[in-house]
């Protein structure tokens, strides 16, 4: 099993938690390789992904540095799946829906043990012939063991979970701009490196993390808006 996702998640938690001081370099790749008992190449891959996502930057001959905490802007919402599915021109394709074993990275995110059962749902939202949104969702299978019996191309996963007796009370989400990798670019039919939105969302049932989802959203087809009292 690849170890770089665990390294990446650990370093990201440290970066977001202020563990590394801005202006000072992170541990070197050889140091990280020793800390996590992996090859230098594995450590480099984790750093490469963090750099691509904007969490760190490299300075030739000086090392890898944290970019600093990003500005946070609240008050944005994403259209619920049931509203999306109601439009006659919209459709959702389920690319994969299956039960898997939690990887170390997903286990950390869902606060479960590596190897525990997780339901993985990979969906693509379309408007006419245009691919607009990629969804990769991980669900604690212990909460909804029969979720895969449902038609997830037309049913809201959240509403289905609630109907199965799993109350969903709180959502944490983060929105940022990214450049699409090959896999996402191919699905959205745009060039590699195209700018897009990446929405990460964690939904809680009580104190438990019930689902974790990544949405890649076409930046040339979507705008986020909201209204509120100043």
């Amino acid at each position: 099993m690849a170890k770089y996702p665990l390294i990446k998640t650990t370093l990201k938690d440290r970066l977001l938690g202020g563990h590394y001081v801005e202006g000072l370099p992170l541990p070197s790749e050889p140091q990280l390789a020793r800390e996590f008992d992996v090859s230098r190449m594995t450590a480099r891959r984790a750093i490469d992904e963090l750099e691509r996502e904007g969490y760190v930057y490299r300075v030739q001959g000086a090392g890898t540095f944290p970019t600093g905490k990003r500005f946070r802007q609240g008050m944005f919402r994403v259209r619920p799946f049931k509203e999306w599915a109601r439009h006659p021109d919209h459709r959702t394709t389920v690319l994969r829906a299956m039960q898997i074993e939690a990887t170390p990275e997903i286990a950390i995110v869902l606060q479960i043990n590596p190897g525990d059962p997780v339901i993985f749902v990979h969906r693509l939202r379309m408007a006419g012939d245009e691919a607009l949104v990629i969804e990769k969702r991980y669900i604690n299978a212990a909460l909804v063991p029969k979720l895969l019996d449902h038609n997830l191309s037309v049913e809201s996963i959240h509403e289905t979970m609630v109907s199965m007796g799993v109350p969903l009370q709180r959502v944490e989400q983060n929105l940022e701009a990214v450049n699409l990798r090959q896999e996402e670019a191919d699905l959205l039919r745009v060039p590699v490196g195209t700018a897009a939105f990446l929405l990460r969302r964690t939904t809680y049932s009580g104190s438990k993390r019930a689902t974790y989802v990544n949405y890649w959203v076409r930046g040339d087809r979507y705008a986020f808006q909201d209204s509120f009292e100043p």
Side-chain angles (χ1 to χ4, degrees):
M1 180 180 296
K3 292 185 177 181
Y4 85 89
L6 176 59
I7 302 172
K8 176 186 171 184
T9 299
T10 301
L11 294 178
K12 187 184 294 186
D13 287 344
R14 291 176 182 176
L15 287 162
L16 293 176
H19 180 85
Y20 297 120
V21 180
E22 292 182 37
L24 295 180
L26 272 66
S28 66
E29 289 173 5
Q31 289 173 318
L32 292 172
R34 287 194 295 271
E35 177 184 353
F36 292 98
D37 191 26
V38 297
S39 69
R40 183 171 176 175
M41 184 179 297
T42 298
R44 181 183 299 121
R45 183 175 179 185
I47 292 295
D48 286 345
E49 292 208 5
L50 290 172
E51 182 181 31
R52 182 187 65 80
E53 294 178 10
Y55 290 97
V56 299
Y57 65 95
R58 288 183 168 104
V59 177
Q60 185 68 31
T64 302
F65 295 81
T67 56
K69 293 184 178 179
R70 302 186 179 201
F71 291 105
R72 303 290 179 181
Q73 177 63 52
M75 298 298 291
F76 66 89
R77 297 181 179 88
V78 177
R79 193 176 184 185
F81 183 87
K82 62 181 179 180
E83 293 184 17
W84 165 271
R86 190 178 299 138
H87 194 287
D89 195 39
H90 293 174
R91 73 181 194 288
T92 299
T93 300
V94 177
L95 303 175
R96 293 177 72 191
M98 58 192 298
Q99 183 168 297
I100 61 174
E101 293 183 355
T103 63
E105 183 178 35
I106 295 304
I108 290 173
V109 171
L110 289 178
Q111 296 179 334
I112 57 179
N113 295 316
D116 282 355
V118 169
I119 294 173
F120 172 61
V121 179
H122 189 190
R123 301 193 290 191
L124 181 66
R125 296 191 190 183
M126 308 277 294
D129 294 328
E130 268 196 314
L132 299 182
V133 181
I134 301 166
E135 171 189 345
K136 283 189 176 181
R137 185 185 299 268
Y138 303 87
I139 306 156
N140 185 343
L143 299 177
V144 281
K146 296 187 180 298
L147 180 66
L148 292 176
D149 294 341
H150 290 257
N151 184 355
L152 300 181
S153 65
V154 296
E155 295 184 47
S156 161
I157 290 178
H158 279 194
E159 288 193 352
T160 300
M161 292 178 69
V162 171
S163 72
M164 297 173 73
V166 181
L168 302 175
Q169 292 105 345
R170 182 165 63 93
V171 173
E172 294 177 354
Q173 58 186 11
N174 178 71
L175 179 69
E176 60 187 272
V178 297
N179 297 109
L180 293 173
R181 300 174 299 182
Q182 188 74 57
E183 178 188 350
E184 290 83 26
D186 287 347
L187 285 172
L188 293 177
R189 304 172 191 169
V190 296
V192 174
T194 296
F197 295 113
L198 173 57
L199 174 65
R200 297 184 176 94
R201 175 184 286 177
T202 304
T203 303
Y204 290 78
S205 180
S207 61
K208 293 183 178 181
R209 294 181 178 180
T211 79
Y212 172 72
V213 60
N214 285 340
Y215 295 104
W216 289 266
V217 183
R218 289 242 327 237
D220 61 340
R221 292 292 184 268
Y222 262 80
F224 293 90
Q225 67 180 47
D226 202 353
S227 60
F228 60 94
E229 296 296 327

